[in-house]
Amino acid sequence: MKSSKRRLQALTESSDGLPNYLKMEDSESSIPPVFRCRLHELFSQIEKEFDVLYTENLNLQEKIDILSEKLERESYVGDRQIVDYVDFETSGKNSKVKLSQSNSQKVKTSHKLKVQTSKIVSSFKAPTYSCQLIREFTGHKDGIWDVTTARPGQALIGTASADHTACVWSVEWGKCLLQYTGHAGSVNSIRFHPTRDIALTSSGDNTAHVWQAAVNWDLPRGQSSEEELDGGGEESLGESDRPEVLRTPLTELSGHMGVVVAADWLTGGDHVITASWDRTANLYDVETGDCLQILTGHDHELTHASSHHSSRLVVTASRDTTFRLWDFREPIHSVSVFQGHTESVTSAVFTREDKVVSGSDDRSVKVWDVRNMRSALATIRSDSSVNRVAVSSGGLIAIPHDNRQVRLFDLQGQRLARLPRSSRQGHRRMVTSVSWVEDVASNMNFFSCGFDRRILGWSIQPSKDN
């Protein structure tokens, strides 16, 4: 699904985001200038009419969301009173199954099986976290595939975009400080090194790059840290505060025969894991750039790779509906296969409690125990495909969706909040990735990005009522 969307955009837009019909040169067209100008005017009128329809659609979607929230609250109140238990009546060969209400007369039965309704109604509970949009970061010329945060103490975020660039941003100033342009294809993921000022990116050019991510803090600061988003956050990079441009990597990791869709550092930062559309994951030595191992076993293209925060464990997700756990703690690695989704697994990440959270195009997110492959501990159902999930150190699961929503759950599958989305807040196209900030002193502790070319910085805090 993601690749088809990407191909469609490549067919309809040039690298700078303008429609291709507006980029035609005179030498490429045999249409007389008069007719070509008239054609451009007609296209402009169509675009304006489409913008009006698109705005109306957004307003209608907001009304639907409001009604859906109201329906969820009403359903929660109703469900708490209706479902109590299920009576199984058995007599000889004939049997009956009957739902009983708590206020109805109880019938004598030979067996009673109580229904666990806590997980069923958990998604109807009132939000327990407040979500406030603080700042908007703009400057990319195409959709953004990934967003990540730097190590604690560094107020930086990194983004990977389909415009063939990766950017390092100042959280405080809202400005791009460094732009990496060394890839020849879409940049699909970005990760900062756990201890050094270097970054790792993967790309559609079949490679992963390690590059110097030290930034120039002397660039113009622009918007002050005290200013909240109030219409001024949508300005693009100006001529006076262009970021530093870096074109040459420290190390190029090659060997894949297809798009490298994701890459991550193993604990310690000496090795890198990559995931590719060639159905393999590669383990590299960062200093030499040598491929140490090629991990095979997935039946279809890989979609994601992520490492454990403190152990030499890696999970890889694939379009074959599974994700695999690779253990590199011993000289000979072992692998475990987790099955439970019915469509592509779009991401799988570790939690601090040695669990794994997986998201899928089957519109579900599952929480797993790494020692038990048979069944998920919790399953979260949604109404849209799930993209790259993120889990905070406190166990908050952030789920970005194709339908522009971002929802928050705990590890038990209970819904905690939904990020606001209106004409002034939230994303206008699918949300591709999210990331938490572990620095408790930060005002913005959560970031999201999407194919509307924007990165949004949020403050997510426990609700006062909670």
Side-chain angles (χ1 to χ4, degrees):
M1 180 180 291
K2 304 288 187 306
S3 60
S4 62
K5 294 177 183 176
R6 186 169 160 190
R7 285 195 297 269
L8 178 60
Q9 185 169 20
L11 287 172
T12 56
E13 292 186 357
S14 60
S15 60
D16 58 3
L18 290 176
N20 284 325
Y21 66 81
L22 294 180
K23 302 292 289 183
M24 291 189 299
E25 300 292 338
D26 292 345
S27 59
E28 298 177 358
S29 175
S30 60
I31 304 175
V34 175
F35 293 106
R36 189 166 62 250
C37 291
R38 178 57 180 163
L39 184 63
H40 289 177
E41 291 177 1
L42 292 174
F43 274 124
S44 298
Q45 293 178 8
I46 293 174
E47 185 176 5
K48 290 178 182 179
E49 293 179 1
F50 180 81
D51 286 339
V52 173
L53 292 174
Y54 184 72
T55 303
E56 292 178 353
N57 183 58
L58 287 179
N59 293 333
L60 289 174
Q61 186 63 47
E62 290 175 14
K63 294 179 181 179
I64 292 174
D65 292 338
I66 294 173
L67 293 174
S68 299
E69 287 288 328
K70 183 178 179 181
L71 179 61
E72 287 181 356
R73 289 193 296 268
E74 292 176 351
S75 300
Y76 167 61
V77 174
D79 287 358
R80 289 182 62 184
Q81 298 175 351
I82 294 175
V83 181
D84 189 11
Y85 58 86
V86 177
D87 287 345
F88 288 86
E89 295 186 354
T90 59
S91 59
K93 297 181 180 179
N94 300 322
S95 62
K96 298 179 181 179
V97 180
K98 179 175 64 176
L99 279 175
S100 300
Q101 294 184 356
S102 58
N103 58 354
S104 64
Q105 185 178 2
K106 295 181 180 179
V107 182
K108 293 182 179 180
T109 59
S110 58
H111 301 285
K112 291 183 180 179
L113 176 64
K114 290 191 176 182
V115 176
Q116 296 179 356
T117 59
S118 59
K119 291 185 180 180
I120 297 176
V121 301
S122 63
S123 60
F124 301 121
K125 293 186 178 180
T128 56
Y129 279 77
S130 62
C131 309
Q132 181 182 5
L133 178 61
I134 303 298
R135 179 161 296 152
E136 181 176 322
F137 303 75
T138 59
H140 278 297
K141 293 180 171 59
D142 209 333
I144 304 171
W145 285 118
D146 198 18
V147 61
T148 189
T149 54
R151 62 182 184 269
Q154 287 191 318
L156 298 172
I157 60 172
T159 53
S161 172
D163 65 9
H164 298 193
T165 70
C167 290
V168 179
W169 306 76
S170 166
V171 173
E172 182 181 5
W173 305 335
K175 299 294 182 182
C176 178
L177 303 180
L178 176 64
Q179 185 181 57
Y180 180 70
T181 61
H183 283 293
S186 169
V187 186
N188 301 320
S189 72
I190 180 170
R191 290 293 181 270
F192 290 108
H193 191 276
T195 58
R196 299 167 58 190
D197 290 334
I198 56 178
L200 169 69
T201 49
S202 64
S203 172
D205 61 12
N206 300 358
T207 69
H209 287 183
V210 177
W211 43 276
Q212 187 69 45
V215 298
N216 181 12
W217 293 100
D218 295 329
L219 286 176
R221 299 193 177 191
Q223 185 177 355
S224 66
S225 59
E226 289 78 13
E227 289 180 315
E228 292 187 355
L229 183 66
D230 189 19
E234 296 187 0
E235 56 179 311
S236 299
L237 300 176
E239 293 293 339
S240 61
D241 56 352
R242 290 286 181 180
E244 181 182 355
V245 177
L246 178 66
R247 296 181 176 86
T248 305
L250 297 174
T251 308
E252 180 176 304
L253 307 177
S254 58
H256 282 294
M257 303 301 293
V259 169
V260 183
V261 70
D264 200 3
W265 305 95
L266 267 68
T267 180
D270 296 330
H271 297 93
V272 161
I273 190 74
T274 58
S276 172
W277 283 5
D278 64 10
R279 306 186 181 186
T280 68
N282 288 357
L283 181 68
Y284 291 92
D285 183 284
V286 175
E287 294 300 324
T288 64
D290 295 335
C291 180
L292 304 179
Q293 294 186 57
I294 299 177
L295 310 179
T296 61
H298 283 292
D299 296 329
H300 292 286
E301 295 94 332
L302 273 66
T303 58
H304 194 244
S306 180
S307 66
H308 193 275
H309 61 281
S310 61
S311 298
R312 291 179 63 81
L313 301 173
V314 168
V315 284
T316 56
S318 171
R319 290 184 59 193
D320 62 10
T321 73
T322 72
F323 69 91
R324 293 178 175 237
L325 171 64
W326 308 84
D327 190 342
F328 296 103
R329 292 175 294 185
E330 300 295 335
I332 300 178
H333 74 267
S334 61
V335 59
S336 303
V337 182
F338 288 74
Q339 297 175 322
H341 291 287
T342 58
E343 294 187 36
S344 299
V345 181
T346 54
S347 63
V349 296
F350 289 97
T351 73
R352 295 288 175 173
E353 297 84 2
D354 287 337
K355 296 181 176 64
V356 173
V357 177
S358 61
S360 171
D361 277 339
D362 65 9
R363 304 182 179 185
S364 74
V365 172
K366 294 179 181 289
V367 181
W368 307 79
D369 189 327
V370 295
R371 293 157 297 192
N372 180 12
M373 301 183 297
R374 296 183 179 178
S375 61
L377 301 175
T379 298
I380 300 167
R381 301 290 180 184
S382 65
D383 56 353
S384 180
S385 295
V386 176
N387 295 314
R388 293 181 176 178
V389 300
V391 183
S392 71
S393 58
L396 299 181
I397 306 173
I399 307 174
H401 292 285
D402 272 4
N403 66 357
R404 303 176 287 128
Q405 296 276 11
V406 178
R407 296 182 173 95
L408 306 181
F409 289 78
D410 62 19
L411 292 175
Q412 288 72 45
Q414 293 185 341
R415 177 175 167 177
L416 303 177
R418 186 191 72 182
L419 268 62
R421 185 170 56 79
S422 64
S423 58
R424 295 189 68 252
Q425 299 188 69
H427 289 281
R428 303 185 183 102
R429 297 182 66 179
M430 71 172 181
V431 188
T432 54
S433 176
V434 289
S435 183
W436 294 95
V437 176
E438 303 304 338
D439 189 351
V440 295
S442 176
N443 182 31
M444 283 175 280
N445 60 348
F446 183 77
F447 294 88
S448 60
C449 68
F451 250 63
D452 57 4
R453 311 177 187 181
R454 301 185 304 157
I455 310 105
L456 302 182
W458 304 82
S459 174
I460 298 180
Q461 306 295 336
S463 176
K464 294 181 180 179
D465 296 336
N466 191 36

